[in-house]
Structures are given as structure tokens and as C-alpha cells.
């Protein structure tokens, strides 16, 4: 019994020793690999690292600038849409001052046309008005707008007129709003932020992907002459350790 335990301990010691030898050989190979690099390959390695950093830095800065520019552009566009709706409401009320139902019907038709124009630009939109602490959707569309929180209602009413960004039901929306005396409420136009930032996301993905491909092309050229030797080295040692252990 003691002899078997001794043999087992001896085998474990020999096996751990061989594993340590293989590990030392691998570290030695990597050390020799770095020492054998001539000046050309070292310059290529440095150039590849600097190229990768410059690509990702430029991509990140470009993405931030494009996102900011796009957000400002859409915010200004939504403000103009809201102001245009206010002017239409004023003109319609002047025309149909004695018929409120027909005035609201014409206002809904105008909003339907506005909704269609935004939808052509791949920007789904929702139109609601806030009266008191309640949110009422316009009836021209069957699409139900996301539920607006009490805190957001208070913020819109406190601000009066402007643009804000808020997350509802897990999606970020851009809100443009202003008081509308013709309906005695605050008119609100809601657009999902992702709908107009999607091209920027797509462009950033392409830029990062191309940066990866560009970087790995240089790395493959740099490392191709060493991969085979390193693979052969590990395979030989793995095979030798397996045969001895058996």
C-alpha cells in the first residue's frame, strides 16, 4: 500500500516537473522570439500599435461629433415641426371658430400628413397633448404612444417650450413641445432617438470593423513567419509530455 502511494507521489512530482520544464521552454521561446526581431519587424509592430490607436481614436471622436451634430439637427427640425403645428392650429381655429369638432378633425388630418412626412424619413412619431396632469393622444393614428410618467409631465409643464430627452419603456425619446392655446393644452411631439441616430450607429460599426480588418492585416503579415514554428513547438512538447506520461 505504501509502495503504491510512493509511486503515485513520484509520478505527480515527475509530471509537475515536466510541466514546469515545458512552461519554461515556452517562456524561453517567447523571449527568443522578441530578441530575434530585427529592426524592420519592430518598426512594423510599433506602426501597427500606433495605427490601431489612431483608428479607434479617430472613430470615437468622429462618432461623438456626428452624433452631436445629428441630435442638434433633429432637435431643430422637431422644434420647427411643433411651431408649424401651432401656426396651423391658429389658422384652422380662425377658419372654423364656430365649429370646434371640425377644427379638431382638420387638425388631426394635418398631424397625419406631418406624421407621414416624418415616417418617409424613417422617423416614427407620436403626437399627444398634456392638459392638467393627463396625457391625451391625438386620434389620427392607431399607434399607442408610450406612457408618459408624472415626473416627465411636470418637467414639460415647468419648461413650457423646448426639447428634452427621456427614456420611456426602455427606449429613449426626443420630446419637442410648446403650449397651444387653441386646444388649451401643451402640444408634444415624440420621436424615438434611435430612429434618427441609426445611420450614425451603422457608420460607427463599419468604421470599427474596417479598423479591425486593417489592423489584423498588418498583424498577420507581421506574425505569419512565426506562427508555424510556435505551433510546431507546442505540438511537439504536448506530444512528448503525453507519451512520457503514458
Amino acid at each position: 500500500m505504501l509502495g503504491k502511494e510512493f509511486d503515485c507521489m513520484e509520478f505527480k512530482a515527475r509530471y509537475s516537473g515536466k510541466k514546469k520544464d515545458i512552461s519554461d521552454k515556452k517562456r524561453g521561446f517567447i523571449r527568443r522570439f522578441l530578441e530575434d526581431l530585427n529592426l524592420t519587424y519592430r518598426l512594423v509592430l510599433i506602426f501597427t500599435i500606433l495605427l490601431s490607436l489612431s483608428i479607434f481614436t479617430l472613430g470615437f471622436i468622429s462618432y461623438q461629433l456626428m452624433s452631436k451634430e445629428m441630435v442638434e439637427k433633429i432637435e431643430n427640425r422637431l422644434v420647427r415641426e411643433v411651431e408649424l403645428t401651432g401656426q396651423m392650429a391658429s389658422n384652422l381655429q380662425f377658419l372654423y371658430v364656430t365649429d370646434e369638432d371640425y377644427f379638431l378633425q382638420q387638425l388631426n388630418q394635418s398631424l397625419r400628413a406631418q406624421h407621414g412626412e416624418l415616417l418617409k424619413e424613417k422617423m416614427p412619431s407620436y403626437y399627444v397633448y398634456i392638459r392638467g396632469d393627463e396625457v391625451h393622444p391625438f386620434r389620427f393614428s392607431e399607434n399607442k404612444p408610450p406612457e408618459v410618467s408624472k415626473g416627465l409631465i411636470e418637467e414639460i409643464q415647468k419648461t413650457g417650450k423646448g426639447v428634452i430627452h427621456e427614456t420611456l419603456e426602455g427606449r429613449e425619446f426626443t420630446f419637442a413641445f410648446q403650449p397651444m392655446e387653441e386646444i388649451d393644452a401643451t402640444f408634444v411631439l415624440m420621436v424615438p432617438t434611435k430612429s434618427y441616430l441609426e445611420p450614425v450607429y451603422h457608420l460607427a460599426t463599419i468604421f470599427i470593423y474596417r479598423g479591425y480588418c486593417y489592423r489584423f492585416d498588418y498583424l498577420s503579415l507581421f506574425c505569419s513567419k512565426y506562427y508555424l514554428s510556435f505551433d510546431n513547438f507546442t505540438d511537439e512538447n504536448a506530444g512528448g509530455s503525453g507519451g512520457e506520461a503514458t
Side-chain angles (χ1 to χ4, degrees):
M1 186 70 177
L2 292 174
K4 290 183 179 181
E5 292 181 358
F6 179 78
D7 292 340
C8 183
M9 292 175 61
E10 183 179 1
F11 172 77
K12 289 182 178 179
R14 290 176 58 189
Y15 183 70
S16 61
K18 290 184 178 298
K19 288 182 62 178
K20 183 177 182 302
D21 292 340
I22 294 173
S23 178
D24 291 340
K25 290 179 180 179
K26 288 182 179 180
R27 284 196 295 267
F29 177 84
I30 296 173
R31 190 181 302 110
R32 292 195 302 272
F33 165 75
L34 296 175
E35 291 175 352
D36 291 341
L37 290 180
N38 57 30
L39 180 60
T40 302
Y41 285 106
R42 292 180 184 180
L43 291 176
V44 171
L45 179 60
I46 294 173
F47 175 75
T48 303
I49 295 173
L50 294 177
L51 180 64
S52 301
L53 291 176
S54 62
I55 287 175
F56 286 107
T57 302
L58 180 62
F60 178 76
I61 294 174
S62 301
Y63 169 73
Q64 293 294 326
L65 291 176
M66 286 188 296
S67 298
K68 183 179 179 181
E69 183 179 353
M70 180 64 73
V71 169
E72 291 177 353
K73 178 182 177 181
I74 297 301
E75 285 180 350
N76 294 332
R77 165 77 182 278
L78 296 182
V79 168
R80 291 195 300 269
E81 293 289 346
V82 169
E83 291 175 348
L84 178 62
T85 302
Q87 294 174 3
M88 286 192 302
S90 179
N91 295 334
L92 290 172
Q93 188 185 50
F94 179 77
L95 292 174
Y96 310 109
V97 64
T98 59
D99 193 342
E100 184 177 358
D101 291 338
Y102 194 70
F103 157 72
L104 292 176
Q105 180 181 347
Q106 293 300 311
L107 180 60
N108 274 278
Q109 289 183 359
S110 299
L111 293 177
R112 183 185 292 109
Q114 189 181 74
H115 172 79
E117 290 298 321
L118 290 175
L119 200 58
K120 289 179 181 178
E121 301 178 25
K122 298 182 179 180
M123 285 194 297
S125 54
Y126 303 92
Y127 299 82
V128 300
Y129 61 92
I130 299 176
R131 182 177 293 156
D133 59 350
E134 296 182 351
V135 178
H136 305 275
F138 285 91
R139 293 177 294 177
F140 73 90
S141 176
E142 297 180 356
N143 295 331
K144 183 179 179 181
E147 184 176 353
V148 181
S149 63
K150 297 293 184 181
L152 182 56
I153 293 175
E154 294 176 359
E155 183 178 357
I156 290 175
Q157 291 178 332
K158 182 179 179 180
T159 305
K161 178 180 179 180
V163 178
I164 60 176
H165 299 267
E166 190 68 31
T167 300
L168 300 177
E169 300 178 358
R171 293 189 298 167
E172 184 179 355
F173 286 84
T174 302
F175 297 81
F177 52 90
Q178 72 174 26
M180 187 178 289
E181 296 180 359
E182 292 76 11
I183 58 176
D184 190 26
T186 300
F187 175 76
V188 182
L189 169 57
M190 307 163 52
V191 173
T193 304
K194 184 180 179 181
S195 63
Y196 60 82
L197 283 182
E198 191 69 32
V200 179
Y201 296 151
H202 183 64
L203 183 61
T205 302
I206 293 176
F207 195 89
I208 292 175
Y209 173 75
R210 288 184 177 178
Y212 266 115
C213 293
Y214 201 38
R215 183 183 66 175
F216 284 123
D217 285 343
Y218 273 93
L219 287 176
S220 61
L221 290 173
F222 169 69
C223 295
S224 59
K225 69 173 295 185
Y226 296 98
Y227 284 158
L228 183 59
S229 60
F230 184 75
D231 288 339
N232 291 336
F233 171 81
T234 54
D235 291 340
E236 290 173 1
N237 283 278
S241 61
E244 292 180 6
T246 304

